[in-house]
Amino acid sequence: MRIFVTGASGWIGSAVVPELIGAGHQVVGLARSDASAAALTAAGAETVRGTIDDLDVLAEAAAASDGVIHLAFKHDIAFTGDFQGAAEADRRAVDAFGAVLAGTGRPFVLASGVAGLQPGRLATERDMPAVDGSPISLRATTAQAALDLASRGVRVSVVRLAPTCHGDGDNGFMANLVATARTKGVSGYIGDGANRWPATHRLDAARLFRLALEQAPAGSILHGVAEEGVAIRDVAEVIGRHLDVPVTSISRDAAAEHFGWLSGFLSIDTPVSATLTRELLGWQPAHPGLLEDLDKGHYFHTPTS
């Protein structure tokens, strides 16, 4: 199939593209810069220039494809104060894809998240996030709007990703935790650090997106979760050992100052199951878990100027 991928040169997308090509698909990737276009060309994909704000570009590329994987999200503004703006842009893109794909039976795979899905208990694919009008819940509303496309003749599925999709080259949550520990001189966790995060290696996540594209029934909710819950204190201990800094509890009152924008995420206890996803698609994660990946050392390379 000829597949249009947004976010194709990003952290997950740069793994999804070779996964698709390796399975015999043609890939057309959205590129917003010369560097992104060059990376996609080197990976063997075609390119379409534009951003997720270019709705006409998205619609035209989707119409010319046999399926769409939508990975792009404005993380740069989402985590610097404008999550609502990022979520609204995402919704406009999904609506543009829906208008083109309606009635075609083509696959449309949307990336979403599991963070905070059912705090404090094991969440499954059957659980739905609270929609309370907050900026964060806007992304859940977009996922539901995508799922509603199943009734309009789109083979849509939503892949809810773990908050950390780790691997060599990651610049997300784990890299920021390492940077904070290096800067502060301590590897911290909030409270007793027993709260849990699900985790997935990005190469396992990439395979799940391919399987969703190829096999997922319309209206499927899938969990890109290899490990149901890794305690944040365990993460902090690995970081402390590699950086040779103390491992310390940070009080909830001091968390915002110590961790900055990460503090809200670090306090969440959000274990998540992917049992139904594995049964439906035969997805079997095969790459290292989070603590093993951290222990490989690539997160601790000294930054170069």
Side-chain angles (χ1 to χ4, degrees):
M1 292 190 288
R2 180 180 175 88
I3 309 303
F4 178 51
V5 181
T6 71
S9 62
W11 175 236
I12 302 298
S14 59
V16 170
V17 168
E19 175 73 27
L20 292 172
I21 291 174
H25 300 293
Q26 294 178 283
V27 176
V28 180
L30 184 69
R32 63 177 180 174
S33 69
D34 291 341
S36 293
L40 288 171
T41 299
E46 299 176 36
T47 61
V48 171
R49 293 300 294 267
T51 73
I52 60 169
D53 292 319
D54 298 319
L55 302 182
D56 290 343
V57 172
L58 300 185
E60 183 177 351
S65 300
D66 299 309
V68 174
I69 297 178
H70 179 40
L71 302 170
F73 190 77
K74 293 185 173 183
H75 291 99
D76 52 344
I77 68 170
F79 296 130
T80 55
D82 190 16
F83 196 99
Q84 180 166 342
E88 290 174 347
D90 190 42
R91 176 59 183 270
R92 289 191 293 269
V94 168
D95 288 345
F97 287 134
V100 171
L101 296 175
T104 65
R106 297 175 190 169
F108 173 41
V109 186
L110 172 68
S112 191
V114 299
L117 186 59
Q118 291 291 335
R121 74 166 178 81
L122 188 67
T124 77
E125 293 87 340
R126 294 192 177 101
D127 287 307
M128 301 302 291
V131 177
D132 54 13
S134 66
I136 295 255
S137 74
L138 290 176
R139 197 169 190 191
T141 304
T142 296
Q144 185 57 58
L147 291 169
D148 290 344
L149 294 172
S151 65
R152 297 173 55 196
V154 181
R155 186 164 63 80
V156 61
S157 58
V158 171
V159 176
R160 295 171 175 167
L161 290 169
T164 179
C165 288
H166 54 89
D168 194 355
D170 177 17
N171 287 313
F173 287 124
M174 289 300 111
N176 277 276
L177 272 179
V178 171
T180 298
R182 182 178 276 121
T183 299
K184 300 287 186 178
V186 299
S187 179
Y189 54 87
I190 298 174
D192 64 6
N195 58 301
R196 299 152 292 177
W197 269 16
T200 308
H201 196 284
R202 76 168 186 135
L203 297 179
D204 287 320
R207 183 167 184 267
L208 178 57
F209 276 100
R210 175 177 65 79
L211 292 175
L213 176 88
E214 294 173 344
Q215 302 177 25
S220 296
I221 296 174
L222 309 167
H223 279 178
V225 171
E227 296 176 282
E228 292 183 348
V230 181
I232 296 299
R233 180 168 183 166
D234 292 343
V235 172
E237 288 176 347
V238 176
I239 292 173
R241 184 172 69 250
H242 277 268
L243 295 181
D244 195 22
V245 298
V247 180
T248 305
S249 172
I250 307 297
S251 71
R252 295 190 183 278
D253 290 341
E257 180 180 354
H258 185 89
F259 292 109
W261 63 269
L262 272 172
S263 62
F265 294 95
L266 281 179
S267 64
I268 297 174
D269 181 40
T270 182
V272 176
S273 167
T275 298
L276 298 178
T277 297
R278 297 185 190 209
E279 291 175 352
L280 179 67
L281 299 180
W283 179 59
Q284 293 297 330
H287 294 276
L290 176 56
L291 299 182
E292 181 184 352
D293 201 16
L294 282 168
D295 252 337
K296 288 179 177 294
H298 53 78
Y299 278 96
F300 305 100
H301 297 158
T302 303
T304 56
S305 58

